[in-house]
Amino acid sequence: MDLRERIRELCRQRDAIILAHTYQPGEIQDLADFVGDSYGLSRKAAGVQAAVIVFCGVRFMAETAAILNPLRTVLLPAADAGCPMADMISAEQLRELKAQHPGAPVVCYVNTTAAVKAESTVCCTSSNAVKIVQSLGECPEILFVPDQYLGRFVERKLGRKLVLWEGFCPTHALLRQETVRRLRAEHPEAELMVHPECLPEVQDLAEHVLSTGQMCELVKTTACRRFLVGTEVGIVHTLRKLAPHIEFTHVTPFLRCPNMKKITLEKIVGCLETLEPRVTVPPATAAAARQAIERMLDIAGAGG
Ligand code: 13P
Ligand code: SF4
């Protein structure tokens, strides 16, 4: 039996749903019940009815699904699919930072461990970071962890300083101004879209600085027929499906997240057969982290 048929059969037997991030390989996106950005996946996970969630993404995303679904089984087909940015701040380090800034609210990017979320006031994703920080009002200090470049993007949008942690995405940081300048010269008619995890000087060269979900929305309505895509390569598959009439050129083969690519069809079969590897979060950590995530969902609403 073909691997895809086997997966569908196992999903029926296990009452399982497959959620996939837009950075997943195309064949996994095509198989998934739902494909989305971090925010869309969190919202979807909050309303899942199936007994089992197969999360095709990285660990923090599967943890978020587990936090929102304590009674369901959440599987991450590749147990070692982590996010290096999420590991750039520990709960202990965040406690120390909070002690240096007593009373300041903490906004944590969703790309964090459950233990860091549990220490935070409110979570955010790249699609709603500006809205979430704004919702905190005129606090003298706001701590923003761990992505310094998303943090700087928010600072610029709101015209206010944040206390930033020096984390970053090692994949997005590989995109440099020289590469973008060369591509722009080769494709003068194309508009450039980049993710706010890119370096600020790269963001400066782009027409659009957008979360992956916002990129997907833009291509449904734009009059532009050519785009340079400055985020992880997997999304090019998603964008081509959404807008087959548009020409998409990915900026560089280096913009490929090795962790996102650890999920394979074989591993999905394996996890559905064995119901392992499971992602679980200790109940006390999950309860505290859930408050930060649910606060985000309440503030950001359906629009993200
Ligand atoms: P999105 O919030 O745009 O889905 O991005 C998640 C991510 O990990 C980007 O590197
Ligand atoms: Fe983490 Fe970067 Fe991969 Fe996103 S692309 S999961 S931030 S390492």
Side-chain angles (χ1 to χ4, degrees), residues 21-23 36-39 41 58 60-61 83 85 109-111 125-127 169 171-172 195-197 210-214 231-232 257 260:
H21 191 264
T22 48
Y23 293 167
D37 67 346
S38 299
Y39 186 70
L41 289 164
V58 293
F60 75 79
M61 296 176 176
C83 168
M85 185 204 302
Y109 193 20
V110 71
N111 299 40
T125 72
S126 54
S127 64
C169 164
T171 298
H172 283 84
H195 197 274
E197 287 176 14
L210 302 171
S211 72
T212 58
Q214 291 165 342
T231 188
E232 212 275 348
C257 174
M260 283 283 180

Side-chain angles (χ1 to χ4, degrees), residues 89 108 117-119 145 153 233 268 283:
I89 185 164
C108 71
K117 289 185 180 77
E119 290 286 338
V145 300
F153 171 76
V233 63
I268 297 175

Side-chain angles (χ1 to χ4, degrees), residues 23-25 57-59 78 80-85 169-172 174 232-234 253-264 267:
Y23 293 167
Q24 284 293 293
V58 293
R59 179 162 292 272
D80 59 342
C83 168
M85 185 204 302
C169 164
T171 298
H172 283 84
L174 292 175
E232 212 275 348
V233 63
F254 293 116
L255 242 171
R256 182 179 181 281
C257 174
N259 284 288
M260 283 283 180
K261 303 302 189 248
K262 287 180 179 167
I263 313 283
T264 62
K267 287 181 191 169

Side-chain angles (χ1 to χ4, degrees), residues 106-295:
V106 180
V107 179
C108 71
Y109 193 20
V110 71
N111 299 40
T112 42
T113 61
V116 164
K117 289 185 180 77
E119 290 286 338
S120 301
T121 315
V122 58
C123 189
C124 76
T125 72
S126 54
S127 64
N128 57 38
V130 172
K131 201 176 190 178
I132 297 291
V133 171
Q134 207 167 20
S135 77
L136 294 170
E138 292 302 313
C139 318
E141 282 192 314
I142 297 175
L143 314 186
F144 189 93
V145 300
D147 186 358
Q148 59 183 305
Y149 301 135
L150 177 62
R152 293 229 216 129
F153 171 76
V154 175
E155 284 187 334
R156 285 179 182 190
K157 285 277 179 196
L158 294 180
R160 65 155 299 163
K161 294 295 284 176
L162 301 171
V163 178
L164 300 178
W165 190 255
E166 293 197 345
F168 63 95
C169 164
T171 298
H172 283 84
L174 292 175
L175 180 58
R176 298 299 164 125
Q177 272 197 328
E178 309 80 81
T179 311
V180 171
R181 288 218 168 88
R182 179 176 48 75
L183 278 159
R184 298 219 71 147
E186 288 168 13
H187 303 270
E189 68 301 334
E191 292 183 8
L192 171 66
M193 50 168 91
V194 301
H195 197 274
E197 287 176 14
C198 290
L199 302 175
E201 60 265 34
V202 166
Q203 296 184 29
D204 286 344
L205 299 179
E207 278 85 7
H208 311 277
V209 184
L210 302 171
S211 72
T212 58
Q214 291 165 342
M215 290 178 185
C216 293
E217 288 306 310
L218 172 69
V219 303
K220 288 185 205 161
T221 53
T222 180
C224 180
R225 289 294 170 263
R226 290 202 172 94
F227 280 97
L228 296 170
V229 181
T231 188
E232 212 275 348
V233 63
I235 199 173
V236 176
H237 180 83
T238 331
L239 295 175
R240 284 188 180 137
K241 277 175 83 171
L242 286 169
H245 56 289
I246 295 180
E247 186 183 300
F248 296 102
T249 305
H250 188 238
V251 285
T252 163
F254 293 116
L255 242 171
R256 182 179 181 281
C257 174
N259 284 288
M260 283 283 180
K261 303 302 189 248
K262 287 180 179 167
I263 313 283
T264 62
L265 294 179
E266 287 80 1
K267 287 181 191 169
I268 297 175
V269 170
C271 81
L272 280 163
E273 281 174 348
T274 61
L275 293 184
E276 294 288 345
R278 276 181 210 211
V279 174
T280 54
V281 179
T285 307
R290 188 158 52 243
Q291 288 191 9
I293 298 167
E294 283 179 347
R295 194 161 176 197

Side-chain angles (χ1 to χ4, degrees), residues 7-8 10-20 28 31-35 41 43-56 65 69 72-77 268 271-272 275:
I7 290 169
R8 294 275 41 122
L10 283 163
C11 280
R12 278 191 293 276
Q13 285 171 11
R14 296 294 197 187
D15 184 22
I17 183 171
I18 300 179
L19 306 185
I28 290 174
L31 184 82
D33 296 291
F34 179 82
V35 179
L41 289 164
R43 277 184 64 88
K44 189 77 190 171
V48 162
Q49 297 298 321
V52 176
I53 300 171
V54 179
F55 210 106
C56 299
N69 290 283
R72 299 182 208 284
T73 302
V74 177
L75 303 172
L76 180 63
I268 297 175
C271 81
L272 280 163
L275 293 184

